[in-house]
C-alpha cells in the first residue's frame, strides 16, 4: 500500500498542478507523437493554392521519409553527424523507447489492497474544488481524471473490468493518488511518480525481449558517430541499468523508470548542441524534406514522356514558387551544400522552367532534366547547352547550382 508523504490540501493551485501536470501533458505528448502528416491549408488561403498544396503531400510521415533518405544518402548522413546529429540514431532511440513503453502490462497482486487504495483515492478526489472553482483550462483535464477513477469505482466488484481498464493505457493514464504522489517542496505541492507501488505492478510482458531492447539502446549510445559529454552518456547508462534492475525487483515502479530513461535519452540526444547547431539541424531537415516533397509532386506534373498533363495552372505556379524560395536560400548556405541537395534542386528548378517553356528551349530543357534526374550530367557541358540560343533565358539560379555542382565534383570525396 502506498503511504502518503503528506495530506493534500484542497487548494486551487493543487488542482491546476495535478490537472496540467498529470493529464494535460500526457494527452499533448500523445498527440505530438502520433506522427501523422497533415498539410492543412491556412485560414483564408485561396482555393487554388489549397488544391496545389495537395500535390506536395509526402507518401509517409515526414520523420519516416527523413530517416529513409538519410539512410540511403551517405553524404547527408555525414553532414548531419558533422553538425552533431543523426536522424537514424534519433529514430532508433525513439522507436526503442516506444517499444519499451508498449510492452508494459498491469498486474494486481492483492485485489483487496488495491480496493483499499482505490477507496482512499476516490475520497481524495471528492475533496477537490467544484468545477466553478477551477480554471477553465484545467477543468476538462480534471474531469478526465475523475472519470477514470469513477469508472474503476463503479466496476470495483468486477476484477476483470478493472484490469481491462488499467491495461488500456498502463503508462499514459496513471491513477491519481495511487500512481501519483503529492509532495511538499518549497512551500508548494508537486506531483511525482513513486519509486515503488505495492498495490499495482506494471512490468514488461516479456522480460527477455525487454532486456534485448535495453541492450540495443545501450549499443546505440556506445556506437553513435557523434560526440556527447561523458556526463550525459553516464546518466543514460545509469537509467538503462536501473531498468535492468527492475526485472529482478517486482516492487520497483517501471513507469517511473521509463520516464527517467526517456528524459536521459532526450538529454543525451541534445547534449552539447548549441542553438546554432540546432538551428542548422532544423534547416537541414526542412531542405531535405523540401526536395522530397518536390519529388512527390513531380510525377503528378509530368507524364512518363516528360509532357505536362492537364493540371491546374495554380499547381505549376506553386511548384515553381516552392523551388525558387528554397534555391535562393540554399545557394547562399555553404555549410549545407551537398551533391544530393544540389542535384535535387537543380532538377526541380529546370523542370519548373521546362513547364513554362516552349519550342527549342523546352526540348533542350527536357533533355537536360532527364540527365539531371538520373545524375548523369556534366555541369560545365550542361551550362554550355543551357546558354545556347541568344533569344531565350533560363533562371540564373540554375547556373549558380551548376557552379556548386562543378566545384563539388572537383573536391575529393571524404
Amino acid at each position: 500500500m502506498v503511504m502518503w508523504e503528506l495530506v493534500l490540501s484542497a487548494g486551487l493551485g493543487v488542482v491546476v498542478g495535478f490537472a496540467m501536470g498529470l493529464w494535460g501533458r500526457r494527452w499533448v505528448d500523445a498527440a505530438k507523437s502520433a506522427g501523422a502528416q497533415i498539410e492543412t491549408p491556412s485560414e483564408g488561403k485561396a482555393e487554388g493554392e489549397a488544391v496545389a498544396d495537395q500535390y506536395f503531400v509526402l507518401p509517409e510521415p515526414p520523420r519516416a521519409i527523413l530517416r529513409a533518405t538519410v539512410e540511403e544518402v551517405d553524404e547527408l548522413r555525414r553532414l548531419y553527424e558533422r553538425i552533431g546529429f543523426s536522424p537514424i540514431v534519433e529514430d532508433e532511440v525513439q522507436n526503442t523507447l516506444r517499444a519499451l513503453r508498449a510492452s508494459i502490462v498491469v498486474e494486481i497482486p492483492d485485489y483487496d489492497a488495491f480496493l483499499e487504495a482505490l477507496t482512499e483515492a476516490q475520497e481524495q478526489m471528492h475533496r477537490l474544488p467544484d468545477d466553478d472553482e477551477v480554471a477553465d483550462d484545467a477543468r476538462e483535464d480534471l474531469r478526465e481524471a475523475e472519470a477514470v477513477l469513477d469508472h474503476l469505482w463503479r466496476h470495483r466488484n468486477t476484477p476483470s473490468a478493472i484490469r481491462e481498464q488499467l491495461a488500456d493505457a498502463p503508462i499514459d493514464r496513471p491513477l491519481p493518488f495511487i500512481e501519483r504522489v503529492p509532495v511538499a517542496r518549497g512551500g508548494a505541492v508537486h506531483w511525482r511518480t513513486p519509486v515503488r507501488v505495492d498495490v499495482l505492478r506494471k512490468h514488461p510482458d516479456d522480460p527477455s525481449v525487454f532486456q534485448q531492447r535495453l541492450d540495443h539502446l545501450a549499443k546505440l549510445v556506445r556506437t553513435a558517430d557523434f560526440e556527447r559529454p561523458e556526463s550525459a552518456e553516464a546518466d543514460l547508462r545509469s537509467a538503462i541499468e536501473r531498468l535492468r534492475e527492475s526485472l529482478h525487483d517486482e516492487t520497483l515502479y517501471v513507469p517511473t523508470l521509463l520516464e527517467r530513461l526517456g528524459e536521459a535519452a532526450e538529454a543525451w540526444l541534445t547534449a552539447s548542441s548549441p542553438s546554432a547547431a540546432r538551428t542548422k539541424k532544423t534547416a537541414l531537415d526542412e531542405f531535405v524534406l523540401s526536395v522530397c516533397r518536390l519529388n512527390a509532386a513531380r510525377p503528378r506534373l509530368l507524364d512518363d514522356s516528360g509532357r505536362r498533363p492537364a493540371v491546374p495552372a495554380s499547381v505549376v505556379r506553386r511548384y515553381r514558387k516552392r523551388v525558387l524560395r528554397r534555391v535562393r536560400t540554399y545557394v547562399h548556405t555553404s555549410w549545407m551544400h551537398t551533391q544530393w541537395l544540389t542535384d535535387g534542386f537543380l532538377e526541380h528548378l529546370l523542370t519548373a522552367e521546362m513547364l513554362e517553356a516552349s519550342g527549342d528551349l523546352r526540348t533542350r530543357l527536357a533533355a537536360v532534366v532527364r540527365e539531371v534526374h538520373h545524375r548523369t550530367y556534366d555541369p560545365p557541358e550542361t551550362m554550355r547547352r543551357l546558354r545556347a540560343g541568344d533569344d531565350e533565358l533560363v533562371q540564373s539560379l540554375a547556373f549558380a547550382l551548376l557552379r556548386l555542382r562543378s566545384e563539388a565534383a572537383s573536391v575529393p570525396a571524404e
Side-chain angles (χ1 to χ4, degrees):
M1 185 70 181
V2 175
M3 298 301 295
W4 303 117
E5 300 182 33
L6 54 80
V7 176
L8 177 63
S9 61
L12 179 58
V14 178
V15 177
V16 174
F18 164 71
M20 300 306 291
L22 174 58
W23 297 100
R25 188 182 131 209
R26 298 281 179 177
W27 288 109
V28 170
D29 289 346
K32 287 182 178 178
S33 65
Q37 180 207 12
I38 302 175
E39 294 198 0
T40 305
S42 59
E43 190 173 345
K45 179 181 287 186
E47 183 177 351
E49 292 183 354
V51 172
D53 281 349
Q54 300 308 308
Y55 283 76
F56 302 91
V57 175
L58 295 171
E60 297 180 56
R63 188 182 186 92
I65 293 288
L66 189 63
R67 174 181 174 174
T69 304
V70 174
E71 281 185 322
E72 181 181 347
V73 183
D74 285 343
E75 61 177 338
L76 286 179
R77 176 183 56 78
R78 291 193 297 269
L79 177 55
Y80 272 103
E81 291 170 355
R82 193 154 58 241
I83 62 177
F85 298 94
S86 170
I88 298 173
V89 172
E90 289 177 19
D91 209 36
E92 282 289 307
V93 169
Q94 296 301 334
N95 286 340
T96 302
L97 292 175
R98 280 193 291 270
L100 290 170
R101 290 168 60 88
S103 71
I104 300 303
V105 295
V106 181
E107 179 184 343
I108 303 177
D110 185 333
Y111 198 74
D112 289 337
F114 173 77
L115 286 181
E116 185 179 344
L118 184 63
T119 301
E120 185 176 350
Q122 186 78 343
E123 292 172 353
Q124 295 282 1
M125 180 63 75
H126 287 160
R127 294 175 191 157
L128 294 176
D130 296 331
D131 275 358
D132 57 0
E133 300 178 59
V134 180
D136 291 341
D137 57 356
R139 195 170 297 162
E140 184 176 350
D141 294 327
L142 179 59
R143 288 172 180 169
E144 177 68 27
E146 187 173 11
V148 171
L149 278 180
D150 285 346
H151 178 86
L152 294 178
W153 184 252
R154 288 195 305 272
H155 295 84
R156 62 189 181 278
N157 295 323
T158 309
S160 60
I162 292 288
R163 290 187 174 90
E164 182 179 348
Q165 172 74 5
L166 293 175
D168 183 51
I171 299 292
D172 294 325
R173 294 183 190 172
L175 297 178
F177 306 102
I178 293 178
E179 299 176 83
R180 287 285 172 175
V181 181
V183 176
R185 186 171 62 247
V189 175
H190 304 269
W191 289 83
R192 75 175 189 188
T193 55
V195 175
R196 299 178 185 274
V197 173
D198 295 333
V199 297
L200 280 179
R201 186 183 174 211
K202 294 188 173 181
H203 58 95
D205 56 355
D206 188 330
S208 63
V209 173
F210 194 83
Q211 173 74 55
Q212 291 170 12
R213 288 173 176 145
L214 291 176
D215 292 343
H216 178 62
L217 184 58
K219 182 179 179 181
L220 286 173
V221 176
R222 187 172 62 253
T223 60
D225 290 330
F226 48 78
E227 293 185 1
R228 288 293 185 265
E230 177 58 31
S231 58
E233 187 170 328
D235 198 30
L236 181 50
R237 286 198 303 265
S238 175
I240 293 172
E241 287 303 317
R242 195 78 172 103
L243 268 167
R244 284 198 179 105
E245 294 175 10
S246 73
L247 299 177
H248 309 289
D249 187 340
E250 295 184 354
T251 65
L252 283 176
Y253 187 62
V254 174
T256 296
L257 302 181
L258 282 173
E259 186 78 13
R260 176 72 188 89
L261 178 67
E263 293 171 354
E266 179 66 20
W268 175 76
L269 286 171
T270 59
S272 291
S273 299
S275 59
R278 290 194 295 272
T279 299
K280 282 185 175 182
K281 178 186 181 299
T282 299
L284 185 54
D285 287 350
E286 290 176 355
F287 276 75
V288 171
L289 288 173
S290 289
V291 172
C292 293
R293 288 190 173 93
L294 293 168
N295 289 344
R298 189 180 183 278
R300 302 162 186 168
L301 301 178
L302 297 170
D303 60 21
D304 292 338
S305 65
R307 291 191 296 269
R308 173 180 166 183
V311 296
S314 60
V315 175
V316 177
R317 289 195 300 270
R318 199 73 171 164
Y319 178 74
R320 180 182 178 84
K321 182 178 179 180
R322 279 177 176 248
V323 176
L324 288 174
R325 184 176 71 247
R326 290 302 188 190
V327 172
R328 287 191 185 103
T329 302
Y330 176 74
V331 296
H332 298 295
T333 311
S334 58
W335 66 264
M336 195 188 293
H337 293 166
T338 58
Q339 294 184 24
W340 186 87
L341 282 171
T342 301
D343 287 348
F345 284 128
L346 179 61
E347 175 189 355
H348 292 294
L349 182 60
L350 293 177
T351 298
E353 294 287 297
M354 182 184 69
L355 288 171
E356 297 186 348
S358 59
D360 180 60
L361 178 59
R362 181 180 176 86
T363 301
R364 286 188 283 119
L365 284 173
V368 172
V369 166
R370 282 194 296 273
E371 292 181 0
V372 176
H373 177 72
H374 294 290
R375 307 187 77 178
T376 58
Y377 71 102
D378 176 69
E381 175 60 18
T382 299
M383 282 190 276
R384 185 194 67 76
R385 290 164 63 187
L386 291 178
R387 289 191 174 110
D390 296 331
D391 57 336
E392 298 190 82
L393 297 174
V394 174
Q395 169 60 242
S396 61
L397 287 171
F399 296 99
L401 290 172
L402 285 165
R403 284 191 291 273
L404 289 179
R405 191 62 165 84
S406 182
E407 293 168 1
S410 65
V411 176
E414 294 183 8

